[in-house]
Amino acid sequence: MRIADTGPMDPSVATIMTASVVTVTSDTTVDRMRQLFDAEGFHHLIVCERGRVVGVVSDRDLLRHLSPWAGTMGETRSDAATLKKRAHQVMSRGLVSTTPGQSISEAIALMLDARVSCLPVLDEKGGCAGIVTWRDILSWTAGRLEDERPRDAA
C-alpha cells in the first residue's frame, strides 16, 4: 500500500517515535518479559544482541506462548516451563523496521503492508534508536486533524 507523501506536512519518524525503549536479549525469559510488560504498561519489547536489533516481542507474542495457568495454584510443570522460554523462542524474527529520517507516511505504508503494530527505529549501525507504534501514528494523526479543524470566528 502506498500512502501519499504530503511534503512538509509529512515529518520524519523521529518526530513521533518513542526514544526511551526497553530492550531485552535473546536469552531473556518469558517470565521476565511478562514482568516488564506488567510494570511498564507498554506492548512491545525490542530484542537486541551485540548492540543490534534482532527482533520484537509483542504482548500478543508473549500471550501465545504463556500458559494461562502459569503462576497460579493450578500450575503444572508444563505450565511453569512456559515461563522459562526465552525471547528468541517467542519473538517475531521477520524484522520490519524504519529509520529516524523516514517519513511518517512511508512508515504507515510499511506497517500496513507488513501487518505489524510497531516498527523498531534503527540507527545507522542497526541499533535501537526508538520505536514507533500504531498509537504514535494515531496520536500524530489526531493532532493533524485537530489542527485542520476550522475554528469558530469569535
Side-chain angles (χ1 to χ4, degrees), residues 23-149:
T23 63
V24 296
T25 68
S26 295
D27 287 328
T28 303
T29 65
V30 162
D31 189 37
R32 178 64 183 138
M33 290 185 288
R34 181 178 68 165
Q35 291 169 6
L36 287 169
F37 281 129
D38 289 346
E40 302 296 333
F42 48 67
H43 303 279
H44 302 91
L45 290 167
I46 305 298
V47 184
C48 295
E49 286 300 328
R50 297 184 190 104
R52 296 181 57 88
V53 176
V54 297
V56 175
V57 176
S58 72
D59 53 356
R60 292 176 311 280
D61 294 329
L62 202 69
L63 288 173
R64 274 194 295 275
H65 289 84
L66 184 63
S67 168
W69 304 109
T72 69
M73 294 292 288
E75 178 183 80
T76 66
R77 282 187 185 159
S78 63
D79 297 326
T82 65
L83 295 172
K84 294 180 175 142
K85 286 184 180 180
R86 306 291 174 158
H88 68 88
Q89 295 173 294
V90 301
M91 71 182 188
S92 300
R93 293 178 181 271
L95 189 64
V96 180
S97 63
T98 188
T99 61
Q102 188 171 39
S103 73
I104 294 172
S105 64
E106 290 171 323
I108 292 169
L110 188 57
M111 290 174 78
L112 290 171
D113 286 345
R115 300 178 59 106
V116 295
S117 58
C118 77
L119 295 171
V121 182
L122 305 186
D123 62 24
E124 56 281 344
K125 294 181 181 178
C128 186
I131 188 170
V132 63
T133 69
W134 65 269
R135 290 174 191 263
D136 299 322
I137 301 285
L138 283 175
S139 293
W140 173 75
T141 303
R144 282 184 68 181
L145 292 173
E146 182 65 28
D147 291 346
E148 292 174 5
R149 180 177 297 155

